Amino acid sequence: DTGVSQDPRHKITKRGQNVTFRCDPISEHNRLYWYRQTLGQGPEFLTYFQNEAQLEKSRLLSDRFSAERPKGSFSTLEIQRTEQGDSAMYLCASSLGPGGNEQYFGPGTRLTVT
Amino acid sequence: AQKVTQAQTEISVVEKEDVTLDCVYETRDTTYYLFWYKQPPSGELVFLIRRNSFDEQNEISGRYSWNFQKSTSSFNFTITASQVVDSAVYFCALSEAPTGGFKTIFGAGTRLFVKA
């Protein structure tokens, strides 16, 4: 399977703990996106990378969130000092080209903060 | 600012009926891209179609068709002869370029139930 993969698929953590998620995009895709999706809503943009450069970060993203894409391959999304409001599905997607192309999504990581 | 509105929260049809999912968007850019994605019960979003702002031709792919009208800022999606397997949440999305940096904004989605 050469699609987008995410790890872990599920994460339960206690409030105040740090969590890190990983995304492996389709190998030749230069763009990588992170989204958050809550029940009954569409994916909400968090940030995106072109190769290793983080080009945009949502103003909704607090300083507790950070993302990296070293070497322009896989990406990690870290949430520090988790809060109950962080509970959501975190989606990763990748695309090929300069932008505006279709994105291919991974299965997501479901985070539950207790 | 970008905005995508899917006014229909849920639609329920009986198998073989035709159904249209509405999408209205707002953008200040002249160059932008519109998308439809399907999210089946299994959860993973699946790309269906992409349209750029300079191409208003309607498109048909099997039982699926899309109607793009810039005059009304709409990009509607019709499923002909719906099937139970079409049951899913469908999202319309907008990506502006280049001032929008290709950030993609999704609508809230329309949940489609197709009953046998």
Side-chain angles (χ1 to χ4, degrees):
Chain A
D1 185 20
T2 56
V4 178
S5 61
Q6 293 187 245
D7 183 68
R9 295 291 304 276
H10 304 273
K11 178 71 176 179
I12 300 173
T13 190
K14 292 185 178 179
R15 190 176 53 187
Q17 297 295 305
N18 299 344
V19 294
T20 300
F21 309 142
R22 176 179 171 126
C23 171
D24 287 89
I26 294 171
S27 58
E28 64 268 26
H29 284 186
N30 57 329
R31 286 194 166 226
L32 186 148
Y33 302 79
W34 284 100
Y35 295 89
R36 178 171 61 191
Q37 187 177 25
T38 54
L39 200 61
Q41 298 298 315
E44 176 187 27
F45 170 80
L46 295 178
T47 189
Y48 84 94
F49 294 83
Q50 180 163 301
N51 300 313
E52 65 275 10
Q54 187 173 19
L55 296 187
E56 189 165 348
K57 188 175 175 180
S58 169
R59 280 170 279 181
L60 301 173
L61 215 59
S62 76
D63 291 342
R64 297 184 296 107
F65 287 71
S66 63
E68 292 183 343
R69 192 183 182 198
K71 302 178 184 177
S73 55
F74 71 92
S75 176
T76 58
L77 177 69
E78 180 183 16
I79 309 175
Q80 296 182 329
R81 305 181 303 281
T82 53
E83 301 171 357
Q84 286 190 322
D86 297 331
S87 295
M89 178 74 86
Y90 289 83
L91 300 173
C92 176
S94 68
S95 69
L96 181 65
N101 289 335
E102 61 271 22
Q103 296 172 31
Y104 293 86
F105 282 81
T109 294
R110 181 168 295 284
L111 173 65
T112 302
V113 182
T114 62
Chain B
Q2 296 169 284
K3 187 177 180 181
V4 176
T5 302
Q6 295 182 256
Q8 304 149 309
T9 306
E10 288 186 0
I11 301 176
S12 184
V13 299
V14 176
E15 208 170 20
K16 297 183 184 176
E17 284 186 11
D18 299 346
V19 58
T20 295
L21 310 181
D22 297 333
C23 172
V24 174
Y25 62 92
E26 292 179 29
T27 177
R28 294 177 188 166
D29 272 356
T30 57
T31 303
Y32 53 89
Y33 300 87
L34 295 164
F35 305 84
W36 276 95
Y37 288 85
K38 174 182 180 180
Q39 190 170 38
S42 60
E44 200 159 322
L45 278 104
V46 176
F47 165 75
L48 294 178
I49 189 171
R50 166 184 178 265
R51 259 291 176 261
N52 74 55
S53 52
F54 300 108
D55 183 2
E56 280 192 81
Q57 278 196 336
N58 292 329
E59 183 158 338
I60 298 174
S61 175
R63 296 185 296 107
Y64 295 171
S65 62
W66 291 270
N67 183 283
F68 176 26
Q69 291 194 331
K70 288 177 75 170
S71 60
T72 56
S73 297
S74 65
F75 186 44
N76 297 338
F77 173 29
T78 298
I79 302 174
T80 303
S82 60
Q83 299 176 1
V84 172
V85 293
D86 295 327
S87 296
V89 181
Y90 291 86
F91 293 99
C92 181
L94 165 69
S95 182
E96 292 176 332
T99 56
F102 297 109
K103 180 177 73 176
T104 303
I105 300 300
F106 284 77
T110 297
R111 183 177 294 276
L112 175 65
F113 295 98
V114 181
K115 295 180 275 191

